[in-house]
């Protein structure tokens, strides 16, 4: 398998653009995604049939050497067999780019590989099941790795093989500038439809690693802690270990407005004739009005996410550029979901977790670019429960308490600010020989992991994500069509 080595000083990065395809292009996109699914399912059926056949032959005592030959599970092997069969099993194959079939075969090769490695214990983590047939409802995607993939000079079109120039919803100027300056190169394009029905093009790009711009002065506070919240007036609170509030990022008005609209739409949907009748406790077919409201909810959700992402991008860029050490809380997303997650702990907490995950991901690669350091506090570190003055721990603090009032020394402080200060203290190295008061107080380094190589995932609308240097990018295989882990 030809692997592509990211050159020294370059870094892999993703750019994602929402698309506004023409009706013809929409049909072509659907056709390509359908072709990927067909190739996947057809070859999966063949692989299964051969496995069953061999198992049956064995029970009849057919010698190993005379069993029906296996179908190779690697992408090249699957592709070879597919090419022999496509003329009769898919006589229409010429209507789509060969990349469409490749997408499906690649997903299958990965699925089979994961399954066999999981079975032999070579693959760690959760047990992976045998690949399943893809239903028509599965997310639709196609990846293009060869052919004409470029962004047009007008900065409003992405050109893809077969589909031609597809209009982008937003300007592509950020990437266009880098390509024109020869500091970026497109490796591949993945076109994917989200659950709201919108098509996106994610370009995998290598870019010359950014360095901290000369004008970005370092602030006089080398170490800061960042508390991530959901309150409109304090999405992010930044503080120093000695208790100074450096910054407080408020939500823009458009975010609060969109969130209010979202709540109103959800109330409306609840009054309409939906998929489920709560009185009779049966499923039912929803009304047109309910569907229309759901469409609007989907679009508003996407808008809220985009606005929030924009705010967080701006804030995290400043944080990474101005400070040497940035401390954030970490969370164990898998563990939280296992315990009932959002439903049990309230919507606000779920939103805060999502925001925190996003902030951590952004800070992960931005601190690397800026040569600063991201420190993650253990999720059990009680950053919001410790008194910043005496270190006493308060146990009866509820999420609704916006002010932290210490029972020991009487200190009163804004809860988010207190949390940020306690986090910042984790970023300060402890002088040798110094003891902290027993059973109290933040101890630098305790419960903190110094992040060196975060694993960024996902995307940002027209914005950047990054993967570490020296990492190999697989050029010939397709990324799994499943959505990003946020
Ligand atoms: Zn106190």
């Amino acid at each position: 398998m030809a692997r592509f080595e990211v050159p020294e000083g370059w870094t892999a990065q993703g750019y994602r653009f929402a698309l506004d395809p023409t009706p013809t292009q929409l049909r072509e996109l659907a056709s390509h995604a359908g072709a990927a699914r067909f190739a996947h399912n057809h070859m999966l059926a063949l692989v299964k049939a051969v496995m069953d056949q061999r198992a049956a032959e064995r029970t009849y005592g057919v010698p190993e050497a005379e069993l029906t030959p296996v179908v190779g599970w690697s992408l090249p092997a699957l592709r070879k067999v597919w090419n022999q069969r496509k003329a009769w099993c898919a006589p229409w194959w010429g209507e789509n780019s060969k990349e469409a079939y490749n997408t499906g075969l690649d997903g299958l090769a990965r699925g089979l590989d994961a399954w066999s490695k999981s079975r032999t214990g070579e693959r760690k983590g959760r047990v992976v099941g045998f690949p399943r047939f893809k239903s028509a409802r599965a997310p639709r995607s196609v990846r293009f790795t060869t052919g004409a993939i470029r962004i047009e000079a007008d900065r409003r079109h992405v050109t893809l093989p077969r589909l031609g120039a597809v209009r982008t919803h937003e300007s592509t100027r950020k990437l266009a500038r880098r390509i024109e300056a020869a500091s970026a190169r497109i490796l591949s394009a993945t076109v994917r439809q989200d659950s709201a029905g919108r098509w996106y093009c994610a370009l995998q790009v290598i870019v010359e690693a950014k360095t901290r711009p000369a004008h970005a002065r370092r602030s006089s506070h080398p170490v800061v802690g960042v508390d991530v919240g959901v309150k409109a007036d304090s999405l992010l609170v930044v503080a120093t270990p000695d208790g100074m509030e450096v910054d407080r990022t408020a939500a823009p008005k458009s975010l609060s407005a969109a969130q209010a609209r979202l709540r109103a739409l959800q109330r409306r949907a609840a009054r309409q004739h939906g998929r489920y009748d709560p009185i009779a406790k049966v499923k039912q077919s929803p009304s047109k009005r309910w569907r229309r409201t759901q469409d609007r909810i989907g679009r508003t959700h996407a808008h809220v996410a985009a606005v929030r992402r924009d705010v967080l991008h701006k804030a995290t860029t400043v944080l990474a550029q101005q400070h040497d050490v940035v401390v954030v809380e970490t969370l164990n997303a898998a563990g939280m979901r296992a315990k009932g997650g959002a439903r049990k702990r309230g919507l606000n907490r779920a939103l805060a977790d999502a925001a925190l995950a996003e902030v951590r991901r952004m800070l992960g690669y931005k601190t690397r670019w800026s040569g600063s350091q991201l420190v993650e506090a253990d999720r059990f570190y009680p950053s919001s429960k410790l008194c910043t003055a005496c270190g006493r721990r308060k146990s009866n603090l509820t999420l609704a308490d916006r002010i932290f009032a210490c029972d020991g020394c009487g200190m009163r402080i804004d809860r988010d600010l207190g949390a940020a200060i306690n986090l910042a203290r984790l970023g300060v190295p402890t002088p040798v020989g110094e003891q902290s008061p027993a059973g109290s107080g933040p101890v630098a380094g305790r419960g903190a992991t110094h992040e060196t190589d975060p694993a960024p995932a996902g995307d940002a609308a027209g914005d950047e994500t990054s993967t570490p240097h020296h990492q190999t990018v697989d050029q010939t295989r397709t990324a799994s069509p499943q959505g990003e882990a946020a």
Side-chain angles (χ1 to χ4, degrees):
M1 193 92 349
R3 288 183 85 87
F4 176 80
E5 187 80 29
V6 176
E8 176 77 49
W10 289 61
T11 177
Q13 195 167 305
Y15 284 85
R16 192 175 79 143
F17 301 106
L19 300 175
D20 285 332
T22 63
T24 308
Q25 286 169 336
L26 273 176
R27 277 196 301 278
E28 287 171 345
L29 284 168
S31 170
H32 274 71
R37 185 169 74 93
F38 182 88
H40 175 276
N41 287 351
H42 179 81
M43 291 304 290
L44 176 56
L46 180 67
V47 165
K48 276 187 147 166
V50 170
M51 284 170 83
D52 291 347
Q53 176 69 25
R54 285 171 63 90
E57 286 167 358
R58 275 202 193 92
T59 62
Y60 291 122
V62 178
E64 276 298 305
E66 287 166 32
L67 293 177
T68 303
V70 283
V71 177
W73 287 6
S74 69
L75 175 58
L78 290 171
R79 196 156 45 197
K80 195 173 161 206
V81 178
W82 165 256
N83 282 331
Q84 289 160 359
R85 301 169 72 92
K86 68 185 178 190
W88 61 266
C89 75
W92 37 264
W93 65 269
E95 287 167 26
N96 303 297
S97 162
K98 67 178 170 41
E99 301 266 13
Y101 309 103
N102 207 48
T103 302
L105 299 180
D106 183 75
L108 179 59
R110 281 169 190 270
L112 290 168
D113 185 60
W115 174 71
S116 66
K117 284 196 173 137
S118 176
R119 229 168 43 134
T120 57
E122 210 182 317
R123 183 191 162 104
K124 300 273 170 282
R126 192 173 295 214
V127 174
V128 178
F130 194 77
R132 288 197 234 167
F133 291 102
K134 286 206 191 313
S135 86
R137 287 209 208 146
R140 304 203 267 188
S141 78
V142 184
R143 187 187 190 208
F144 297 96
T145 54
T146 55
I149 306 169
R150 60 173 184 271
I151 52 178
E152 295 298 329
D154 66 358
R155 298 180 174 182
R156 284 314 283 255
H157 289 87
V158 175
T159 294
L160 297 167
R162 281 302 169 99
L163 298 152
V166 186
R167 189 170 166 83
T168 58
H169 194 66
E170 315 135 288
S171 166
T172 61
R173 67 180 179 279
K174 274 186 182 169
L175 177 57
R177 278 196 209 116
R178 301 208 71 169
I179 288 176
E180 284 156 19
S183 67
R185 220 182 91 206
I186 298 174
L187 299 180
S188 67
T190 304
V191 188
R192 182 178 293 136
Q193 191 178 32
D194 74 0
S195 52
R198 164 146 246 155
W199 286 90
Y200 290 86
C201 176
L203 295 170
Q204 199 194 11
V205 177
I206 52 165
V207 296
E208 242 176 321
K210 286 179 188 171
T211 45
R212 197 166 54 89
H215 64 264
R217 279 269 199 71
R218 292 261 163 171
S219 111
S220 49
H221 310 293
V223 181
V224 288
V226 183
D227 180 73
V228 182
V230 281
K231 289 273 170 290
D233 58 334
S234 52
L235 285 183
L236 295 180
V237 178
V238 184
T240 63
D242 49 18
M244 202 185 117
E245 183 175 312
V246 178
D247 194 22
R248 191 174 277 259
T249 306
K253 278 217 179 73
S254 60
L255 184 62
S256 328
Q259 278 168 334
R261 198 158 63 238
L262 197 54
R263 282 192 294 274
L265 284 169
Q266 274 155 344
R267 278 196 302 272
R268 181 188 302 175
R271 288 192 304 268
Q272 288 171 331
H273 189 86
R275 267 194 204 295
Y276 180 75
D277 183 347
I279 296 162
K281 295 191 175 164
V282 286
K283 281 186 185 171
Q284 57 188 10
S285 79
S287 70
K288 268 188 190 161
R289 283 162 192 264
W290 182 86
R291 284 177 207 264
R292 209 177 304 150
T293 310
Q294 293 302 315
D295 277 353
R296 290 184 63 188
I297 288 174
R299 283 198 301 274
T300 313
H301 257 303
H303 179 67
V304 165
V307 173
R308 198 184 59 178
R309 194 152 49 203
D310 184 59
V311 174
L312 296 182
H313 261 301
K314 283 171 182 157
T316 51
T317 296
V318 170
L319 283 169
Q321 288 182 348
Q322 296 203 333
H323 308 286
D324 295 334
V325 178
V326 183
V327 191
V328 289
E329 208 181 342
T330 188
L331 50 83
N332 174 356
M336 286 182 172
R337 253 177 256 129
K339 280 185 188 150
R343 211 164 302 163
K344 231 178 200 175
R345 289 146 14 87
L347 184 63
N348 265 359
R349 192 64 228 171
L351 279 174
D353 286 354
L356 179 56
E358 214 156 7
V359 165
R360 281 186 50 226
R361 183 176 66 74
M362 291 173 181
L363 281 173
Y365 63 85
K366 289 180 183 180
T367 49
R368 200 162 50 234
W369 283 344
S370 305
S372 41
Q373 193 188 13
L374 176 65
V375 175
E376 297 190 47
D378 193 277
R379 67 179 268 243
F380 298 110
Y381 176 62
S383 56
S384 59
K385 291 183 180 161
L386 295 176
C387 173
T388 53
C390 68
R392 188 184 164 116
R393 182 175 172 157
K394 194 177 168 89
S395 51
N396 56 346
L397 192 74
T398 69
L399 269 176
D401 294 333
R402 298 318 305 164
I403 299 287
F404 176 98
C406 180
D407 303 325
C409 67
M411 164 89 174
R412 285 177 66 82
I413 187 168
D414 174 83
R415 177 206 179 92
D416 300 337
L417 176 59
I421 295 167
N422 283 325
L423 286 168
R425 287 177 181 168
L426 286 180
V428 187
T430 325
V432 181
E434 189 179 297
Q435 291 288 317
S436 66
S440 76
V443 179
R446 188 180 73 184
T449 42
H450 286 245
E451 177 89 339
T452 50
D453 195 24
D459 64 80
D463 265 308
E464 314 101 293
T465 59
S466 152
T467 36
H469 300 223
H470 316 302
Q471 164 244 13
T472 51
V473 175
D474 213 330
Q475 243 190 335
T476 47
R477 311 190 87 195
T478 312
S480 79
Q482 273 72 257
E484 305 91 323

